[in-house]
């Protein structure tokens, strides 16, 4: 493929990404000219970094900690002249600037956020809640903005909208719609940003001074994270830094950007130099989540439909088209825990969701045994680990579990050996049933060419073996007063990589149905790393993790190569990436391809899950991603739903979603994939 970066695919704005920057400019107490210069310097830096909007601290033009100097006419006149300079300069710069300044209107002074772009003062938002407790005395100088709606203000001769009812929307960048609040506003019980989000703002910008005290940075994080999650938006915050008066207070210059509760970027606190904190916000992700969350719509109705009363200030965004990269953390493994400081806690939780669910189901059935097939592969291994923990927690002997390894025509000695070693190490009741005689008889009875000696290894050949294994397990469960524990995982259900009915699609309880392949691999590693079982078991688990993923239904070739699942349906790490962004966010295929390309194009960049094996760090170019994404779309939308519609019970594990027809995913079994395939083809560059 020719890497044509001029193609719209490579432009982040094509996919709904808005580059947000928080600025900690160089400041000097009450020196408006110096502060104007500091703002302009960072605005130019943001322009060079192709930011779409840059947020400055509260009262950044005048300084915040200047007390009664806010009431001095000379300073207020200088502020208006500074606004004029910034407005003029903005005509040659692409970012929207959001700066803080004290402004006069009708005999009052307001603590304001000013929105400037394209040589225009687009609007002015006054602060709603003025702190007047402990170290704060803002009511001594400022009037609050509550109730200021439908108004205008003149600043340096320019007339602009004024009020707390303003949203700012780019006409040429869909979804780029932001609201403004100021510092104390989001400490209020009902922050103005809640109504702004309900009115349609996808991004909220908070200009803040907020002096620093011990632990306050954590409090700001908590509020930003909470508001971005509760209001279903992105939330950017910029606090005053070095240069403010330290007469009685100190400042740390904290900047951060959250999206739907996820931290995208954070500045270096206590930095003596000016700083930009930059991240690309996915407004399509935000809007998609609002569509799925009917509570958000109910909230807009309960709040009296704020969209009907807010004024939208529309502007043409001066964006520079082309490939400007993507400044955003992208999880290569979105189903895998990614918080290093809480890694054990998250893995423990995922594992024990399955353990608790299976324990409850086993108690409810009043059965005597858990019956499962043990192949020596990842899925049956993980199901066995969960079942063993159930026995341990209920005080039952592990012989309550009846494990059967059932070698077929493609079973390798390695996986068969691993299956036996695992069952013996776990201390379960273990047996072996060779399904080949029964399979030959069935293939002979149906007149399959293999029975006559021809090397025909088609779907029927494979399904005869898969079906026999399941058939044996169900009869064994009946014989031993037990139930069949399903081993198939979420990834296989998404791709339809399972045999329907009398096959591995069916069981009495599908304990792995909510766990994708990448998470199963990680959880098995976690059990060995945290000594959940004994060293003998750990050694077998490591061997299983190192084995090629294969259904082993087809005999090895003359070269000894075994059947490889991932060579047929694609790498599970890519399929799980596609799956997450499809079922959790409903992203269009072009959007998914763009994210996958940035996540996987270079193994040396970005973050990997903690303790991820170095040899397993893969990378994929756009052509590979497009190939496997097209395959995923065909299998997911047009091929596999009928198998999911008849899915046995099983627990949801990840917030990323599950595919139970009684839970996260409901879809017709006879749909086509045409819409998704066409969107992908239109989005991708020529290859």
């Amino acid at each position: 493929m020719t890497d044509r970066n001029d193609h719209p695919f490579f432009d982040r704005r094509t996919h709904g990404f808005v580059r947000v920057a928080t600025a900690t400019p160089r400041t000097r107490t009450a020196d408006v000219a110096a502060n104007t210069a500091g703002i302009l310097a960072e605005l130019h830096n943001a322009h060079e970094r192709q930011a779409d909007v840059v947020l400055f601290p509260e009262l950044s033009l005048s300084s915040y900690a200047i007390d009664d100097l806010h009431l001095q006419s000379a300073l207020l006149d200088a502020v208006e002249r500074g606004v004029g300079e910034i407005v003029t300069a903005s005509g040659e710069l692409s970012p929207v600037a959001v700066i803080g300044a004290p402004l006069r209107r009708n005999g009052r002074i307001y603590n304001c956020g000013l929105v400037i772009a394209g040589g225009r003062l687009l609007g002015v938002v006054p602060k709603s809640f003025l702190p007047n407790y402990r170290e704060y005395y803002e009511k001594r100088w400022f009037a609050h903005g509550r109730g200021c709606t439908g108004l205008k203000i003149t600043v340096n001769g320019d007339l602009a909208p004024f009020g707390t009812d303003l949203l700012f929307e780019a006409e040429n960048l869909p979804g780029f719609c932001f609201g403004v609040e100021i510092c104390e506003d989001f400490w209020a019980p009902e922050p103005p940003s809640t109504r702004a989000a309900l009115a349609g703002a996808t991004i909220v910008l908070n200009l803040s001074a907020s002096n620093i005290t011990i632990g306050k940075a954590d409090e700001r994080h908590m509020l930003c994270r909470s508001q971005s999650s509760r209001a279903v938006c992105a939330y950017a915050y910029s606090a005053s830094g070095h240069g403010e008066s330290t007469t009685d207070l100190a400042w740390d210059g904290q900047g951060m950007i959250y999206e739907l509760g996820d931290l995208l970027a954070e500045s270096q606190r206590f930095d003596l130099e000016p700083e930009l904190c930059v991240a690309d916000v996915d407004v399509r992700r935000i809007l998609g989540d609002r569509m799925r969350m009917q509570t958000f719509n109910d909230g807009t109705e309960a709040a009296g439909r704020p969209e009907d009363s807010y004024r939208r200030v529309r502007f043409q965004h001066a964006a520079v088209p082309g490939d400007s990269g993507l400044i955003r953390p992208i999880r290569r493994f979105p189903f895998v825990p990614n918080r290093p400081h809480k890694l054990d806690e998250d893995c423990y939780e995922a594992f024990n969701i399955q353990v608790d669910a299976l324990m409850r189901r086993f108690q409810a059935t009043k059965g005597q045994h858990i019956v499962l097939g043990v192949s020596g592969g990842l899925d049956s291994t993980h199901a066995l680990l969960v079942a063993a923990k159930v026995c341990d927690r209920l005080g039952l002997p592990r012989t309550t579990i009846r494990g059967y390894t059932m070698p077929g025509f493609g079973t390798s000695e390695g996986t068969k050996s691993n299956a036996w070693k695992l069952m013996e190490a776990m201390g379960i009741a273990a047996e072996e049933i060779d399904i080949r005689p029964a399979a030959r008889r069935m293939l002979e009875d149906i007149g399959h060419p293999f029975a006559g000696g021809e090397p025909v290894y088609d779907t029927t050949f494979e399904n005869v073996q898969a079906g026999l294994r399941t058939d044996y397990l169900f009869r064994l469960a009946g014989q031993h007063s037990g139930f069949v524990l399903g081993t198939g995982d979420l990834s296989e259900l998404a791709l339809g990589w399972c045999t329907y009915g009398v096959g591995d699609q069916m069981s009495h309880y599908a304990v792995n149905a909510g766990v994708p392949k990448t998470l199963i691999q990680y959880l098995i590693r976690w059990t060995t790393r945290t000594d959940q079982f004994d060293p003998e078991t750990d050694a077998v688990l490591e061997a299983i993790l190192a084995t090629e993923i294969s259904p082993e239904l087809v005999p090895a070739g003359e070269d000894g190569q075994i059947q490889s699942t991932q060579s047929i349906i694609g790498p599970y790490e890519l399929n799980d990436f596609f799956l997450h962004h499809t079922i959790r966010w409903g992203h269009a295929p072009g959007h998914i391809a763009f994210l996958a390309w940035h996540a996987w194009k270079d193994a040396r960049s970005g973050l990997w899950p903690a303790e991820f094996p170095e040899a397993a760090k893969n990378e994929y170019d756009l052509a590979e991603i497009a190939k496997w994404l097209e395959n995923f779309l065909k299998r997911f939308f047009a091929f596999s739903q009928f198998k999911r519609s008849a899915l046995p019970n099983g627990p949801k594990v990840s917030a990323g979603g599950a595919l139970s027809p009684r839970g996260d995913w409901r879809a017709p079994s006879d749909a086509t994939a045409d819409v998704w395939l066409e969107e992908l083809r239109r989005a991708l560059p020529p290859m």
Side-chain angles (χ1 to χ4, degrees):
M1 187 199 81
T2 301
D3 190 31
R4 292 179 54 195
N5 289 345
D6 59 335
H7 190 279
F9 174 83
F10 298 101
D11 188 340
R12 58 181 167 79
R13 297 180 186 91
T14 300
H15 307 281
F17 289 95
V18 175
R19 183 158 295 173
V20 177
T22 68
T24 308
R26 192 180 302 280
T27 62
R28 190 169 180 227
T29 307
D31 189 337
V32 176
N35 293 342
T36 300
I39 289 170
L40 287 173
E42 293 314 297
L43 192 53
H44 277 88
N45 287 340
H47 173 83
E48 292 298 319
R49 298 183 66 175
Q50 299 192 37
D52 297 306
V53 60
V54 55
L55 171 68
F56 291 88
E58 180 181 12
L59 296 173
S60 47
L61 203 51
S62 61
S63 300
Y64 176 83
I66 58 175
D67 298 332
D68 288 353
L69 300 187
H70 286 301
L71 301 173
Q72 291 290 309
S73 295
L75 181 130
L76 296 171
D77 290 342
V79 163
E80 293 207 25
R81 290 194 298 272
V83 171
E85 286 186 49
I86 295 169
V87 169
T88 299
S90 72
E92 304 298 323
L93 302 170
S94 60
V96 179
V98 182
I99 68 170
L103 295 179
R104 293 165 290 192
R105 185 185 183 280
N106 200 23
R108 302 180 182 89
I109 302 175
Y110 293 90
N111 181 342
C112 298
L114 291 73
V115 179
I116 298 168
R120 294 169 51 207
L121 176 59
L122 298 179
V124 177
V125 179
K127 188 173 184 177
S128 292
F129 295 96
L130 304 174
N132 221 64
Y133 54 89
R134 296 199 298 272
E135 63 262 49
Y136 304 111
Y137 296 92
E138 287 192 33
K139 291 182 180 179
R140 180 180 174 95
W141 313 299
F142 301 118
H144 69 75
R146 300 191 304 278
C148 290
T149 59
L151 303 176
K152 294 187 177 181
I153 189 172
T154 300
V155 183
N156 195 47
D158 292 332
L159 185 65
F162 175 83
T164 56
D165 58 341
L166 297 179
L167 296 183
F168 302 88
E169 182 176 37
E171 293 179 315
N172 55 338
L173 185 48
F176 181 19
C177 179
F178 66 89
V180 173
E181 67 182 4
I182 303 172
C183 201
E184 185 76 7
D185 287 348
F186 93 139
W187 265 276
E190 189 176 342
S193 56
T194 299
R195 288 185 62 82
L198 293 173
T202 55
I203 301 169
V204 174
L205 306 175
N206 186 317
L207 310 89
S208 180
S210 183
N211 62 295
I212 187 62
T213 54
I214 296 171
K216 196 171 187 181
D218 290 338
E219 182 182 2
R220 296 177 192 143
H221 271 294
M222 179 268 293
L223 290 169
C224 288
R225 181 184 181 194
S226 173
Q227 189 64 353
S228 72
S229 182
R230 189 184 303 276
V232 194
C233 66
Y235 199 99
Y237 176 92
S238 180
S240 298
H242 184 74
E244 284 283 358
S245 170
T246 55
T247 298
D248 291 301
L249 304 172
W251 318 87
D252 65 334
Q254 186 173 23
M256 54 188 145
I257 303 165
Y258 275 87
E259 177 187 299
L260 302 180
D262 296 331
L263 178 62
L264 301 185
E266 182 180 11
S267 68
Q268 176 66 47
R269 296 166 57 219
F270 298 107
D271 201 334
L272 298 182
E273 295 301 317
E275 184 178 2
L276 284 179
C277 170
V278 183
D280 291 331
V281 166
D282 188 347
V283 295
R284 289 188 183 175
R285 180 176 181 243
I286 292 165
L287 292 170
D289 212 30
R290 289 179 179 179
M291 288 191 299
R292 284 161 182 75
M293 188 186 296
Q294 294 306 313
T295 302
F296 185 88
N297 180 61
D298 290 345
T300 65
E301 298 293 332
R305 290 180 54 86
E307 63 190 275
D308 295 340
S309 58
Y310 268 70
R311 292 176 285 168
R312 292 205 176 207
V313 180
R314 293 179 170 86
F315 61 95
Q316 281 290 314
H317 181 44
V320 178
D323 183 2
S324 57
L326 190 65
I327 305 173
R328 175 185 180 85
I330 306 175
R331 294 173 63 179
R332 289 180 171 95
F333 295 85
F335 289 104
V336 172
N338 70 324
R339 303 184 298 175
H341 63 295
K342 289 198 169 184
L343 186 62
D344 285 346
E345 179 182 328
D346 290 344
C347 290
Y348 170 87
E349 191 167 57
F351 188 68
N352 279 280
I353 288 171
Q354 294 180 269
V355 171
D356 189 76
L358 178 57
M359 184 167 59
R360 175 71 186 93
R361 178 52 58 96
F362 185 60
Q363 290 174 315
T365 63
K366 297 181 171 60
Q368 297 178 19
H369 292 97
I370 298 172
V371 176
L372 79 158
V374 182
S375 68
L378 292 169
D379 294 345
S380 63
T381 294
H382 186 63
L384 177 54
L385 297 180
V386 172
K389 280 294 183 184
V390 167
C391 291
D392 294 349
R393 287 187 60 183
L394 291 177
L396 298 172
R398 288 191 183 172
T399 50
T400 302
I401 304 167
R402 300 191 66 87
Y404 296 88
T405 185
M406 292 177 279
F409 298 118
T411 302
S412 68
E413 282 303 314
T415 55
K416 179 181 172 181
S417 173
N418 284 339
W420 268 109
K421 288 177 181 177
L422 181 63
M423 291 190 293
E424 290 170 350
M426 299 295 288
I428 69 171
E431 294 186 37
E432 180 176 319
I433 299 175
D434 187 344
I435 67 167
R436 288 173 293 183
R440 284 194 184 94
R441 177 60 187 266
M442 182 176 286
L443 291 167
E444 181 181 338
D445 288 346
I446 66 175
H448 191 275
F450 179 81
E454 298 182 41
V456 177
Y457 309 130
D458 56 9
T459 302
T460 301
F461 175 81
E462 295 187 25
N463 285 350
V464 162
Q465 297 172 76
L468 277 171
R469 285 172 174 147
T470 302
D471 200 357
Y472 272 117
L473 291 173
F474 271 95
R475 300 325 133 220
L476 288 162
Q479 181 181 1
H480 295 286
S481 300
F483 72 89
V484 177
L485 183 62
T487 60
D489 64 50
L490 182 65
S491 307
E492 294 178 342
L493 288 167
L495 295 160
W497 193 249
C498 51
T499 302
Y500 181 75
V502 184
D504 54 333
Q505 178 263 351
M506 187 50 61
S507 64
H508 286 121
Y509 194 68
V511 73
N512 285 343
V515 191
K517 191 78 74 178
T518 50
L519 180 54
I520 282 179
Q521 290 172 311
Y522 203 77
L523 289 176
I524 293 174
R525 288 193 184 98
W526 172 77
T527 63
T528 64
R529 183 171 56 81
T530 56
D531 298 322
Q532 298 293 313
F533 299 97
D534 57 75
E536 183 183 357
T537 301
D538 290 348
V540 183
L541 294 178
E542 291 293 346
I544 291 170
L545 285 167
T547 302
E548 170 72 37
I549 298 173
S550 172
E552 293 196 333
L553 295 170
V554 173
E558 293 181 2
D559 58 359
Q561 289 296 309
I562 65 169
Q563 186 181 19
S564 170
T565 297
Q566 296 186 97
S567 67
I568 301 169
I569 61 174
Y572 274 116
E573 56 197 11
L574 284 184
N575 282 317
D576 284 356
F577 187 96
F578 303 152
L579 175 63
H580 174 86
H581 289 281
T582 298
I583 65 173
R584 176 61 184 91
W585 305 110
H587 286 324
H591 192 103
I592 297 172
F594 180 77
L595 286 170
W597 181 59
H598 278 283
W600 290 97
K601 64 181 179 178
D602 185 358
R604 296 165 297 178
S605 65
L607 299 175
W608 292 88
E611 301 185 15
F612 194 84
E614 197 66 32
K617 293 181 178 179
N618 299 316
E619 62 185 31
Y620 304 94
D621 61 25
L622 184 55
E624 290 177 284
I625 289 167
K627 169 190 171 182
W628 293 121
L629 178 53
E630 181 175 342
N631 183 71
F632 171 86
L633 296 172
K634 290 175 181 176
R635 298 189 69 97
F636 183 80
F637 287 105
F639 174 75
S640 306
Q641 183 57 41
F642 77 98
K643 298 181 181 182
R644 300 190 289 263
S645 294
L647 184 67
N649 295 165
K652 177 179 177 178
V653 174
S654 167
L659 292 173
S660 168
R662 300 165 297 276
D664 283 5
W665 185 257
R666 295 166 177 82
S669 295
D670 47 8
T672 72
D674 295 356
V675 169
W676 291 268
L677 293 170
E678 177 58 27
E679 197 282 338
L680 179 62
R681 294 186 188 109
R682 283 190 286 106
L684 289 171
M687 296 193 194

